[in-house]
Amino acid sequence: MGLFSHDVGIDLGTANTLVMVPSKGIIINEPSVVAIHRKTRKVLAIGADAKRMVGRTPANIVAVRPLKDGVISDFDVTEQMLSHFIRQVHNRFGNLPKPRVVVGIPSGVTEVEKMAVRDAARNAGARACHLIEEPMAAAIGAGLPVTEPTGSMIVDIGGGTTEVAVISLGGIVVSQSIRVAGDEMDEEIVQYARQRHNLLIGDRMAEEVKIAVGSAWPLTEERMATLRGRDLVSGLPRVIDISSVEIRDGISGSVNQIVEAVKSTLEATPPELVSDLISGGIALAGGGALLAGLDQRLSHETKMHVYVADDPLTCVVRGTAIVLQEIELIRKVEVPEQYARPIRAG
Ligand code: ADP
Ligand code: MG
């Protein structure tokens, strides 16, 4: 075992938090959800247990996603969630020397929020905490040549945010972050069911159907799915069949906004780097990258080669683990306390 064998890489995502110990693999992969008692503010559950409570909580319990919009809405809760996950690592591996921690954070997070994340990691026992921006971590995890003098583009479609970035020489040259990603698609499916079918469904149902038959480009064989909800007219439970064509139509607003973010980032990219992108293509990461046909749609719109990175849901955490193992890389890619801001497209 190496000197840093218990260091941990963390993907603090808007939808999912993943923790990886480079020598052990990914050891935590849980929803970024915390269930809290409304009055006492006591944390009742974290992760998968808390997500099961979403939409099902009695009046005195609330299930919150502290990073839902790519900003930390609640420092306290975020800190408790982070501590909980770091402590689980401690519990799994016994009495450990204080780990070094690399955390991938949404790029919209402010300086104050970054401080909160560093504090949370240190309070949870970390010896040192380095922050890297999610698109950088995703690009590293996707195997892009981020430190080379060549441009690479990563599009990370998560739950709350889509981050588009062009990276070269270890830095983000152009980037854009929009608050449209998987959650917005779910929300659009809820609206669609209500408006077109008079059916009230929950977010979880919408997400299930999106994952099952959602798409951004015509499928070779269109499919059917089942929506269960409540009829808005009769007030009674109702089950309907819905086609993948309808779901595609339903989520087209979100998909179009993601396409526009990619296009406007390309427009803001310096020409030399654009020519690199033409040869290297565009890599998709995050859970949204798994939306069927999103690569084809983006390829059609940009006339570039677009591909889904290997295991897109784990790119960010694998990126943080790679950074941990290559001490030199930390210096190159971490977010310094003060830094020159990249060009913001859009
Ligand atoms: P974050 O980094 O913001 O935590 P993730 O990268 O974990 O987000 O992605 C979560 C999002 O990906 C959710 O909105 C989820 O519904 C969506 N997702 C997961 N799998 C699929 C799939 N097969 N098709 C479409 N969307 C998916
Ligand atoms: Mg993410």
Side-chain angles (χ1 to χ4, degrees), residues 13-51:
T14 68
N16 296 296
T17 297
L18 286 79
V19 179
M20 183 165 181
V21 174
S23 58
K24 310 272 179 195
I26 295 169
I27 55 177
I28 292 169
N29 184 351
E30 299 234 23
S32 310
V33 184
V34 182
I36 303 170
H37 193 281
R38 215 185 275 276
K39 290 214 187 76
T40 63
R41 301 293 293 166
K42 193 171 144 47
V43 170
L44 304 172
I46 293 174
D49 294 340
K51 186 171 180 182

Side-chain angles (χ1 to χ4, degrees), residues 193-215:
R194 178 156 47 212
Q195 285 159 9
R196 305 290 177 94
H197 296 283
N198 272 320
L199 187 72
L200 182 67
I201 61 168
D203 293 346
R204 301 286 307 273
M205 178 81 251
E207 182 181 23
E208 261 175 50
V209 121
K210 172 190 71 179
I211 291 176
V213 304
S215 61

Side-chain angles (χ1 to χ4, degrees), residues 109-178:
V109 166
T110 65
E111 294 303 318
V112 177
E113 291 167 341
K114 283 172 193 158
M115 225 144 71
V117 172
R118 286 195 179 96
D119 286 349
R122 283 177 194 137
N123 291 343
R127 159 165 48 99
C129 176
H130 305 274
L131 304 184
I132 61 175
E133 291 194 272
E134 251 172 13
M136 178 62 79
I140 294 170
L144 302 183
V146 297
T147 56
E148 303 285 311
T150 180
S152 302
M153 183 181 257
I154 183 87
V155 182
D156 181 358
I157 307 129
T161 59
T162 294
E163 314 229 16
V164 186
V166 176
I167 295 170
S168 173
L169 287 165
I172 294 176
V173 182
V174 191
S175 74
Q176 190 173 1
S177 174
I178 58 169

Side-chain angles (χ1 to χ4, degrees), residues 116-310:
V117 172
R118 286 195 179 96
D119 286 349
R122 283 177 194 137
N123 291 343
R127 159 165 48 99
C129 176
H130 305 274
L131 304 184
I132 61 175
E133 291 194 272
E134 251 172 13
M136 178 62 79
I140 294 170
L144 302 183
V146 297
T147 56
E148 303 285 311
T150 180
S152 302
M153 183 181 257
I154 183 87
V155 182
D156 181 358
I157 307 129
T161 59
T162 294
E163 314 229 16
V164 186
V166 176
I167 295 170
S168 173
L169 287 165
I172 294 176
V173 182
V174 191
S175 74
Q176 190 173 1
S177 174
I178 58 169
R179 289 182 189 184
V180 176
D183 296 338
E184 187 77 16
M185 295 177 199
D186 302 346
E187 191 47 44
E188 277 198 288
I189 293 173
V190 171
Q191 302 291 348
Y192 187 93
R194 178 156 47 212
Q195 285 159 9
R196 305 290 177 94
H197 296 283
N198 272 320
L199 187 72
L200 182 67
I201 61 168
D203 293 346
R204 301 286 307 273
M205 178 81 251
E207 182 181 23
E208 261 175 50
V209 121
K210 172 190 71 179
I211 291 176
V213 304
S215 61
W217 192 252
L219 302 173
T220 29
E221 245 173 275
E222 297 295 347
R223 302 169 53 195
M224 296 300 290
T226 307
L227 280 184
R228 294 180 304 275
R230 181 171 62 214
D231 190 287
L232 281 166
V233 181
S234 70
L236 296 172
R238 190 172 123 223
V239 179
I240 65 163
D241 289 327
I242 192 160
S243 79
S244 50
V245 178
E246 279 187 275
I247 298 295
R248 184 162 61 246
D249 182 29
I251 63 175
S252 60
S254 322
V255 171
N256 290 343
Q257 289 188 63
I258 293 168
V259 168
E260 283 316 308
V262 172
K263 284 172 129 178
S264 61
T265 305
L266 281 171
E267 279 162 20
T269 302
E272 294 299 336
L273 296 179
V274 171
S275 87
D276 296 339
L277 300 184
I278 291 168
S279 47
I282 299 175
L284 306 184
L290 292 167
L291 182 70
L294 184 61
D295 48 351
Q296 284 161 287
R297 170 73 192 278
L298 282 167
S299 179
H300 173 80
E301 299 269 358
T302 61
K303 314 283 178 243
M304 311 244 294
H305 171 57
V306 180
Y307 65 98
V308 180
D310 278 345

